[in-house]
Amino acid sequence: MNDAGHASAAARASRRSSLYTLLVAAMVALPPLSIDMVLPALPSIASSLRAPVGTAGLAISLFLAGFAISQLVLGPLSDLLGRRPVLLASCAGFSLAGIGAAFAGSIAGLLALRLLQGIGAGGCMAVIFAVVRDLFEGDEVRSRLATANAIMGIAPMVAPTVGALFLAFTGWRGLFAFLGAGGVALLLGCGLRLGESIGENRRRVAAGELAAGYLKVLSVRSVLGCALIAGLSFGLLQAYVVGSSFLFLGVLHVTPRAYALIFATIASGQIWGATGAAALARRGVRHQAVLLGGILLGLAGSGGLLFLATLGLVRVATAIPTLLLVTTALGLVTPTAAHGVLAPMPHVAGTASAALGFVRMSGGALASALVSLSSSGSPLVIAVVMTLFASGALVVWLAAVSSGRQETHHSLLATPPSGAGAPCREPVPVAPSAESRRSPS
């Protein structure tokens, strides 16, 4: 108990440091960097390892698959063993896989290492979101998650350009070596400066309770709805990301340098959306309303692209505005949906974070596979997949989230976790006892 108190105190102290902010930023940047930096290198990988370009493209799909699957194990494991050991192991796995990929001699070996790299990145993301939930409460969780999502928006802006630079000067192997070195830096930073964040709550979740934790997360309709919206919205984005090289390089015939600039411009929408989500959270705007706004924005962007594609009017000047709406929508939706999943589940934050990450990455993997398997690179195919995912998000909001406020509040008060504080929610007109917070260790 003494050690737990010291660990919790260390974590609370570390959250005020600039290094803590830097570590969180680096963790949430891992997925977009690991995906978008590799996009320009896929043709070179295929040529170097004598594989079809479509097979080389599985380096993206398998990374997403590993990322999704790891959430189911490593997030709940952090509830059982503590955040710190799982985070350190995930950083180590990510870095070793990256370094190994730099020396891969076959496409099969590279793809296996990318799967492992995705597992490591998934563990980092699941645990760091749970750490945020451990250290902050209420609307501050939404604000912190929105800030993290803004950082995630910066990474896609620079990743293709950085990837192209590595490709030009070191080849694709240098790109993976860079990712591996970044993992080593994260491992050292977390090992030296990031303390355990769950303090006295450590080991409260026994191994036999992990399945029950998933059932608890999935049994609340609004929580499940927010997770599905996050997954469908991420699928909306990945349909564009995977199809972007086909669209701009293959169909619209822009230069690689222009493509990197266009990609960065469109990715900036995620920063604006996340910044808006943080501002709305500070003003106390209900997360259901913010979610609806983001979903409608994404539907407008994907629907606009579909309209243009149907009429054969997709041009660089017409595609960019519609895709900016999509990335801005993702910036609004991602942190807000994460709040809707994590805030009502403080006692199983790792499990809730794992479920959220799994659903998000599964949505991305499905959408990217649909676009890739079409193999036509048609703007119409890309637009149809995007619109389907955006429409699905709206359907889920109407069915599970629009009226989920009362359901979440009722079900969580009816089944409070043993020994844990009351769940943290947005201010609602209920008895003061429902808003009680955990006592500091």
Side-chain angles (χ1 to χ4, degrees):
M1 183 71 167
N2 220 5
D3 291 341
H6 286 311
S8 183
R12 285 195 298 272
S14 69
R15 72 181 175 181
R16 293 187 289 269
S17 71
S18 57
L19 181 58
Y20 168 80
T21 303
L22 181 62
L23 287 173
V24 173
M27 291 291 177
V28 299
L30 279 183
L33 285 176
S34 300
I35 294 170
D36 298 329
M37 280 182 65
V38 177
L39 287 173
L42 292 178
S44 295
I45 292 172
S47 176
S48 175
L49 299 179
R50 297 184 179 136
V53 175
T55 303
L58 292 176
I60 304 298
S61 300
L62 286 174
F63 179 89
L64 287 171
F67 196 107
I69 294 169
S70 69
Q71 309 280 304
L72 298 179
V73 178
L74 299 181
L77 199 61
S78 74
D79 286 333
L80 176 65
L81 302 178
R83 312 295 186 216
R84 181 179 163 84
V86 177
L87 186 59
L88 294 179
S90 298
C91 289
F94 177 87
S95 60
L96 289 174
I99 294 169
F103 295 96
S106 67
I107 190 65
L110 176 65
L111 295 179
L113 288 165
R114 282 291 284 176
L115 179 66
L116 293 175
Q117 195 174 37
I119 291 172
C124 290
M125 180 68 85
V127 175
I128 205 64
F129 270 29
V131 167
V132 170
R133 181 59 191 87
D134 292 335
L135 299 181
F136 304 99
E137 296 190 4
D139 286 333
E140 193 172 6
V141 176
R142 285 172 64 191
S143 179
R144 296 283 175 167
L145 291 174
T147 301
N149 199 59
I151 296 164
M152 289 180 70
I154 295 173
M157 294 177 63
V158 300
T161 301
V162 174
L165 287 174
F166 272 98
L167 192 61
F169 291 102
T170 68
W172 63 268
R173 295 184 186 277
L175 190 157
F176 285 114
F178 171 76
L179 289 174
V184 172
L186 282 177
L187 178 62
L188 292 174
C190 292
L192 294 174
R193 297 292 298 178
L194 196 63
E196 180 57 65
S197 65
I198 51 179
E200 80 278 6
N201 291 330
R202 186 171 184 170
R203 297 189 184 279
R204 278 187 180 168
V205 182
E209 295 178 289
L210 294 183
Y214 275 120
L215 288 175
K216 182 174 285 292
V217 171
L218 299 177
S219 65
V220 181
R221 185 174 62 178
S222 61
V223 171
L224 177 59
C226 285
L228 290 174
I229 287 171
L232 289 164
S233 298
F234 191 65
L236 167 65
L237 177 72
Q238 287 305 307
Y240 149 67
V241 168
V242 172
S244 63
S245 59
F246 293 117
L247 176 62
F248 289 107
L249 295 174
V251 176
L252 301 178
H253 304 293
V254 304
T255 65
R257 183 174 296 180
Y259 169 65
L261 180 61
I262 291 169
F263 199 94
T265 301
I266 294 171
S268 68
Q270 192 168 344
I271 300 175
W272 298 117
T275 302
L280 292 171
R282 287 191 292 269
R283 290 177 178 271
V285 178
R286 292 176 55 187
H287 76 274
Q288 292 92 337
V290 179
L291 273 180
L292 178 60
I295 290 168
L296 292 176
L297 201 62
L299 189 57
S302 58
L305 185 64
L306 179 59
F307 177 75
L308 293 171
T310 302
L311 297 179
L313 297 176
V314 176
R315 307 288 186 271
V316 172
T318 57
I320 289 177
T322 62
L323 295 170
L324 264 173
L325 290 178
V326 169
T327 55
T328 303
L330 188 79
L332 281 168
V333 168
T334 299
T336 310
H339 166 82
V341 173
L342 298 176
M345 300 287 166
H347 48 292
V348 284
T351 303
S353 179
L356 172 64
F358 174 77
V359 173
R360 284 190 76 237
M361 290 299 150
S362 296
L366 176 59
S368 63
L370 289 173
V371 172
S372 298
L373 292 174
S374 73
S375 71
S376 65
S378 164
L380 183 60
V381 171
I382 298 169
V384 166
V385 173
M386 292 174 65
T387 304
L388 285 174
F389 276 74
S391 300
L394 179 59
V395 170
V396 172
W397 187 90
L398 291 171
V401 177
S402 61
S403 60
R405 186 182 183 90
Q406 292 81 6
E407 178 210 1
T408 302
H409 171 249
H410 174 76
S411 65
L412 289 174
L413 285 184
T415 57
S418 175
C424 181
R425 294 176 295 275
E426 297 174 278
V428 291
V430 296
S433 60
E435 296 294 321
S436 64
R437 298 188 175 191
R438 292 174 293 175
S439 59
S441 55

